[in-house]
Amino acid sequence: MTDLLPRPSTPRVAVIGDIGGQVGALRYELVRLGADPHTGVIPADLTIVQVGDVIHRGPDSEEVVALVDSYLHRQPDHWIQLIGNHEGLYLGQTAFEWSPRVDDPTIATLRRWWEDGSMVVAAAVPTADGDFLVTHAGLTAGFWRSVLDVPHTAAQAATALNSLIANRQAAIFRSGVMLTGRKSGAAGPLWASAPTELVPSWFHSTMPFSQIHGHSSITDWSTGELRGPAAVTTRTSLNLITRHETTTMRGGRIIGIDPDHGADPAPLWSAWEADLTGPVSM
Ligand SMILES: [Mn+2]
């Protein structure tokens, strides 16, 4: 008899890596995930988390921001937008050179997201396979210890990271080797380099929870070769179809999902997907 009752579908999450101004690649992936191909509407069972760096590199930064803005208006419970270092460039905190800049209305939209809380630093994703903290570049052990006061769950870490928006914005934008040339085990969640800062920072601490990040990769996706110290590469497995890399650490996993779109979109990539065992939290 129970077969005759409508069965609610299991809530699921899709974590989308860096988009880099590639609106076609984003639209294609959203339809694959079940979005309506004509209206773009995200299905009721699906929550999207996007890890930031929606702009730059590709030709469509303005269109990507407009599309994300439409989701944040129409389906705010279905789209969680994280900040990347490229969005940070327009928020008065991070200094690096980028050309061309996005247009002024797009800058205004990014600033509005940051000021009204539509764009945050972190989300926590509970799954049957464990709880994952999602940030742009990853939470280093040094940042976890020195700035956050060692939260033990992904949900606590997400809350602590997002509370920095009101209290300690400079900490959010703390840089690392990619800006300074000096490796730091306490690089910030928008800037940590996966092979040289994020993963090595956890070698001497047990990870309290697993993580998903974009921003940088251990893998050179154009060749499939792993880069970085052997202690990092020997712990890392990769999937060249999804462009996901998984580094197995003591206490958890660090999963990188930046597809590395450039002036052209990546030929193959997909979001990281899982069934949810509770709501995504921030
Ligand atoms: Mn980035």
Side-chain angles (χ1 to χ4, degrees), residues 5 24 31 38 97 142 164 169 180 204 210 233 249 264 272 281:
L5 296 169
V31 169
H38 303 293
E97 297 295 321
L164 299 175
Q169 287 215 1
T180 65
H204 304 292
S210 293
T233 60
M249 307 289 287
D264 297 312
W272 183 92
S281 69

Side-chain angles (χ1 to χ4, degrees), residues 30-89:
L30 290 172
V31 169
R32 187 192 69 79
L33 290 165
D36 185 289
H38 303 293
T39 64
V41 170
I42 297 168
D45 65 345
L46 178 63
T47 301
I48 302 282
V49 179
Q50 200 285 323
V51 304
D53 280 6
V54 297
I55 54 171
H56 293 165
R57 301 190 193 282
D60 319 310
S61 292
E62 287 80 5
E63 289 85 346
V64 172
V65 170
L67 179 60
V68 171
D69 198 45
S70 75
Y71 284 119
L72 293 173
H73 270 101
R74 291 186 302 167
Q75 296 191 278
D77 295 340
H78 293 268
W79 192 285
I80 294 169
Q81 184 60 49
L82 305 185
I83 181 174
N85 55 301
H86 282 267
E87 286 75 47
L89 179 61

Side-chain angles (χ1 to χ4, degrees), residues 18 51-53 57 84-86 136-137 178 190-191 214-216 258:
D18 310 47
V51 304
D53 280 6
R57 301 190 193 282
N85 55 301
H86 282 267
H136 181 62
M178 291 171 68
L190 306 191
W191 278 103
H215 180 63
S216 69
D258 174 10

Side-chain angles (χ1 to χ4, degrees), residues 39-232:
T39 64
V41 170
I42 297 168
D45 65 345
L46 178 63
T47 301
I48 302 282
V49 179
Q50 200 285 323
V51 304
D53 280 6
V54 297
I55 54 171
H56 293 165
R57 301 190 193 282
D60 319 310
S61 292
E62 287 80 5
E63 289 85 346
V64 172
V65 170
L67 179 60
V68 171
D69 198 45
S70 75
Y71 284 119
L72 293 173
H73 270 101
R74 291 186 302 167
Q75 296 191 278
D77 295 340
H78 293 268
W79 192 285
I80 294 169
Q81 184 60 49
L82 305 185
I83 181 174
N85 55 301
H86 282 267
E87 286 75 47
L89 179 61
Y90 299 104
L91 302 173
Q93 288 279 354
T94 306
F96 65 99
E97 297 295 321
W98 195 270
S99 180
R101 289 167 64 90
V102 300
D103 67 20
D104 287 345
T106 300
I107 294 172
T109 302
L110 296 173
R111 289 182 176 156
R112 171 165 52 78
W113 291 353
W114 190 233
E115 281 156 21
D116 73 10
S118 299
M119 182 164 67
V120 296
V121 179
V125 170
T127 81
D129 202 22
D131 293 354
F132 294 83
L133 177 74
V134 188
T135 58
H136 181 62
L139 175 62
T140 56
F143 198 96
W144 171 72
R145 190 175 294 112
S146 63
V147 179
L148 299 191
D149 199 23
V150 296
H152 288 292
T153 70
Q156 289 167 349
T159 300
L161 282 162
N162 292 329
S163 73
L164 299 175
I165 298 169
N167 302 323
R168 292 185 63 188
Q169 287 215 1
I172 296 170
F173 295 92
R174 178 187 285 183
S175 64
V177 67
M178 291 171 68
L179 268 190
T180 65
R182 291 191 310 276
K183 290 178 210 167
S184 167
L190 306 191
W191 278 103
S193 158
T196 61
E197 295 179 313
L198 175 63
V199 171
S201 79
W202 288 102
F203 281 160
H204 304 292
S205 306
T206 299
M207 291 187 75
F209 41 76
S210 293
Q211 297 194 39
I212 299 170
H213 69 86
H215 180 63
S216 69
S217 303
I218 299 161
T219 311
D220 177 344
W221 294 113
S222 67
T223 63
E225 287 177 24
L226 292 164
R227 302 167 292 197
V232 172

